[in-house]
Amino acid sequence: MGNYLNIVSVTGEDKRLVKQDLKFRTGKFVWRIVFNIPLNPATVNDDNLIVYNAQNSKIPTRISYNPDLHAIEIEPSEAYASGETYTLHVTRKVESKGGQQLKNEIDIQFIV
């Protein structure tokens, strides 16, 4: 099975860390962002992690945080449209439990 998502571009200092691990072909693709330290759950929200469509409109998402894995999951409320371009934007306001913010904002542009 080929890639379902085509990651077009990644901004931010740690773009080499963006990897695909696709197990299911579905328009309800869930982004999982894993951190190496615990996060402040209050900063894991739809103001700090945003998915935009090609028209720069915010896509409704469900965001959850798994403190055991230090992982954020971002799932669209409705399936992504096939052939559309989207951008996952992660702001610097995502913080560790100690209050340290991300060094850079991250943008991941992808096509479904």
Side-chain angles (χ1 to χ4, degrees):
M1 172 172 74
N3 288 344
Y4 182 58
L5 294 179
N6 179 17
I7 296 177
V8 177
S9 65
V10 179
T11 64
E13 194 171 297
D14 294 328
K15 59 186 169 188
R16 70 188 185 289
L17 298 176
V18 175
K19 300 175 187 158
Q20 289 190 60
D21 182 14
L22 303 175
K23 295 183 177 149
F24 304 100
R25 288 180 73 97
T26 172
K28 296 275 280 192
F29 175 82
V30 177
W31 280 101
R32 178 180 284 163
I33 304 171
V34 180
F35 293 82
N36 59 354
I37 57 174
L39 299 178
N40 175 352
T43 66
V44 178
N45 57 54
D46 61 2
D47 290 326
N48 297 337
L49 298 123
I50 308 160
V51 177
Y52 294 101
N53 63 17
Q55 292 75 37
N56 211 28
S57 296
K58 189 175 177 179
I59 303 297
T61 57
R62 286 185 286 281
I63 298 173
S64 60
Y65 175 60
N66 180 329
D68 296 330
L69 300 175
H70 313 308
I72 298 171
E73 291 190 349
I74 306 159
E75 179 180 8
S77 297
E78 297 181 13
Y80 294 117
S82 181
E84 287 290 318
T85 300
Y86 297 90
T87 301
L88 169 60
H89 178 71
V90 182
T91 72
R92 290 188 63 235
K93 294 178 184 175
V94 175
E95 295 181 355
S96 70
K97 274 197 168 184
Q100 184 179 15
Q101 293 185 335
L102 287 176
K103 207 184 305 185
N104 298 300
E105 292 190 345
I106 299 169
D107 285 312
I108 303 170
Q109 186 180 41
F110 60 100
I111 299 174
V112 178

